[in-house]
Amino acid sequence: MFLLDASQVTLPAELAEVWRGNGRSEPRERTEAAVKLSVGLDLCRGRLLGPELCDGREHDKNADLVARVLPQGSLRVTDLGYFRVGELARLDRMGVFFLTRFQTKCGRVDGTGQAWELDAFLAAQAGDQGEALVFPRIEVQEVKQVRSVE
């Protein structure tokens, strides 16, 4: 089991040439200088992966840790910042399981070809738990199992 996460640390503005911040236009949330720390934890071996440092404006899913080859049969647990359909398809082809929140903007098509919005799909499920075959609406459609857990 591999856990991946990243945190951003705001730095003094004088370091903006070394560590670029998030570049947001709102003064209250803007950071001219920031560093992002990405880490992974291999729970089975008790091994720390990283930390990996990059500019604060870099997205979590672009970290080098994401491209790491995980053993077949392992489980990768990440937050929504790592959600990318192509990456999940790559993990699936490698035999790696993953646990992540579902990106609400990602289209879903069931086994019959019917397109679903997430709220309607979940409302159509019987009970508070269930399983269904779901195809992400992308060029290459791969079968995914979705389990809703309360």
Side-chain angles (χ1 to χ4, degrees):
M1 180 182 295
F2 294 83
L3 307 177
L4 302 179
D5 203 6
S7 292
Q8 181 175 293
V9 177
T10 302
L11 300 171
E14 294 80 16
L15 294 173
E17 288 187 30
V18 179
W19 298 108
R20 297 184 316 161
N22 62 23
R24 292 186 180 141
S25 59
E26 300 86 22
R28 201 177 83 221
E29 296 181 22
R30 184 177 182 169
T31 57
E32 292 180 32
V35 63
K36 184 165 282 191
L37 302 131
S38 298
V39 295
L41 180 60
D42 178 346
L43 289 176
C44 294
R45 293 180 185 85
R47 194 175 71 202
L48 181 67
L49 309 172
E52 178 184 299
L53 306 177
C54 64
D55 289 334
R57 66 177 52 203
E58 199 62 47
H59 200 284
D60 296 357
K61 63 187 172 190
N62 294 333
D64 288 339
L65 288 174
V66 173
R68 191 177 283 258
V69 175
L70 302 179
Q72 184 175 7
S74 63
L75 172 66
R76 188 186 89 160
V77 180
T78 59
D79 63 21
L80 196 53
Y82 293 88
F83 188 93
R84 189 166 48 193
V85 173
E87 174 63 13
L88 299 178
R90 181 184 77 87
L91 292 171
D92 185 56
R93 285 191 304 274
M94 292 172 38
V96 174
F97 298 95
F98 48 87
L99 180 62
T100 185
R101 285 182 41 210
F102 198 78
Q103 174 62 260
T104 57
K105 295 178 184 177
C106 181
R108 289 151 301 281
V109 179
D110 68 14
T112 67
Q114 179 180 347
W116 289 89
E117 293 299 323
L118 182 60
D119 56 349
F121 176 78
L122 294 176
Q125 305 307 305
D128 61 355
Q129 292 186 12
E131 291 187 14
L133 291 177
V134 177
F135 301 87
R137 206 177 314 158
I138 57 175
E139 293 289 321
V140 178
Q141 295 186 348
E142 301 213 17
V143 176
K144 300 289 176 195
Q145 269 195 336
V146 175
R147 179 173 288 174
S148 172
V149 180
E150 295 285 325

